[in-house]
Amino acid sequence: MRIDLNSDVGESYGAWVMGQDEALIPMVTSVNIACGSHAGDPTIMARTVALAAEHGATVGAHPGYPDREGFGRRDISLSTEQLEVSILYQLGALYAFCRDADVRLRHVKPHGALYNRAARDTAVARAVARAVRRFDSSLTLVGLAGSALLDAGRAEGLRVAAEAFADRAYEPDGTLRSRRHADAVLPDPESAAEQAVSIVVLGRAVAANGSNVDIRADTLCIHGDTPGAPEYARAVRNALQAAGVELAPLHHDE
């Protein structure tokens, strides 16, 4: 058994600090770095790419809706053309820092409301996939397991990776429980570790209503803005390894 453990990072902006990237990044095998739209800025992007390289974490882009005030978690109305060029713009920004640091950009994972919208909205999913293909068809597109985004990526000839979440509650249909609910984020590192092992070893999670949800995942996420994210990541990492699961980035064999 093998799984990639990823986290959304680089989400600070100027003097505003989000997350504990220096403690979190050493715990994961890949990172998704904010590209300056929902969060992040040039200095943060450069520092986060360097930090990932220092700890051997594979680097991916984490583009979101242009919505700093809402942290990219509000559904923004954009045409498919506007969405495509926005994603191209964000990928280009992060790529500049990867190239400067001699770090390869390997994957793309949308953020927040864009991620959730692309999971169910075929037109949005196709726009995201087209943008990734237009930028670099060798990139892997990461999306919610079983989602429309993965179907769109395959249709564009992209490699895709199905993602599950260690720190988020699920609905019976396999979607993530809305953050409007108080129990959307699992309450402690132990709960996240238990869910991570269940997903990777058993191929299922327990939904918020107590039912089982079948999940097949290539990568497992810990949100960088979850309070205590490094502790969550450490607990998940230790539990997976204790269960005999190898932690390796998506492209470990290249």
Side-chain angles (χ1 to χ4, degrees):
M1 293 179 290
R2 179 185 294 122
I3 195 76
D4 172 50
L5 185 59
N6 80 75
S7 189
D8 307 332
V9 297
E11 293 180 320
S12 298
Y13 176 69
W16 181 70
V17 177
M18 172 62 77
Q20 300 172 269
D21 290 353
E22 291 188 358
L24 177 59
I25 289 176
M27 295 290 106
V28 299
T29 52
S30 70
V31 294
N32 320 299
I33 301 177
C35 302
S37 190
H38 77 276
D41 62 31
T43 300
I44 295 298
M45 283 190 276
R47 288 176 179 171
T48 309
V49 168
L51 189 60
E54 177 184 347
H55 293 285
T58 296
V59 172
H62 197 41
Y65 282 130
D67 178 31
R68 289 191 186 280
E69 293 81 2
F71 194 59
R73 288 188 172 142
R74 299 182 295 188
D75 205 353
I76 304 297
S77 179
L78 297 177
S79 69
T80 55
E81 180 184 7
Q82 289 171 324
L83 180 56
E84 279 190 55
V85 296
S86 175
I87 292 172
L88 282 169
Y89 176 81
Q90 293 178 66
L91 298 184
L94 185 64
Y95 174 75
F97 296 106
C98 289
R99 180 173 177 176
D100 180 63
D102 196 25
V103 169
R104 186 174 174 185
L105 184 64
R106 304 303 298 266
H107 64 271
V108 179
K109 172 191 167 182
H111 166 79
L114 178 57
Y115 181 96
N116 291 327
R117 180 73 176 271
R120 65 182 188 276
D121 186 319
T122 300
V124 170
R126 288 173 176 169
V128 173
R130 282 196 303 269
V132 174
R133 190 260 303 155
R134 288 171 64 185
F135 186 80
D136 183 349
S137 62
S138 73
L139 294 172
T140 296
L141 180 58
V142 178
L144 186 68
S147 69
L149 183 58
L150 299 185
D151 291 337
R154 294 185 189 100
E156 290 292 333
L158 300 170
R159 287 193 292 186
V160 299
E163 183 177 43
F165 291 81
D167 59 351
R168 290 292 309 279
Y170 278 89
E171 296 291 2
D173 63 356
T175 60
L176 297 179
R177 189 158 173 80
S178 170
R179 287 180 180 268
R180 293 191 298 270
H181 298 287
D183 60 349
V185 178
L186 298 191
D188 51 61
E190 292 72 27
S191 300
E194 181 179 355
Q195 177 158 288
V197 171
S198 180
I199 290 171
V200 178
V201 177
L202 302 178
R204 64 173 182 261
V206 178
N209 70 353
S211 64
N212 286 327
V213 182
D214 291 333
I215 301 174
R216 296 292 183 270
D218 304 303
T219 184
L220 197 63
C221 179
I222 301 287
H223 284 89
D225 66 314
T226 295
E231 288 72 31
Y232 276 72
R234 184 177 295 106
V236 166
R237 184 183 186 97
N238 290 343
L240 288 171
Q241 290 177 330
V245 178
E246 178 187 357
L247 297 178
L250 291 172
H251 304 287
H252 69 280
D253 55 348
E254 294 183 6

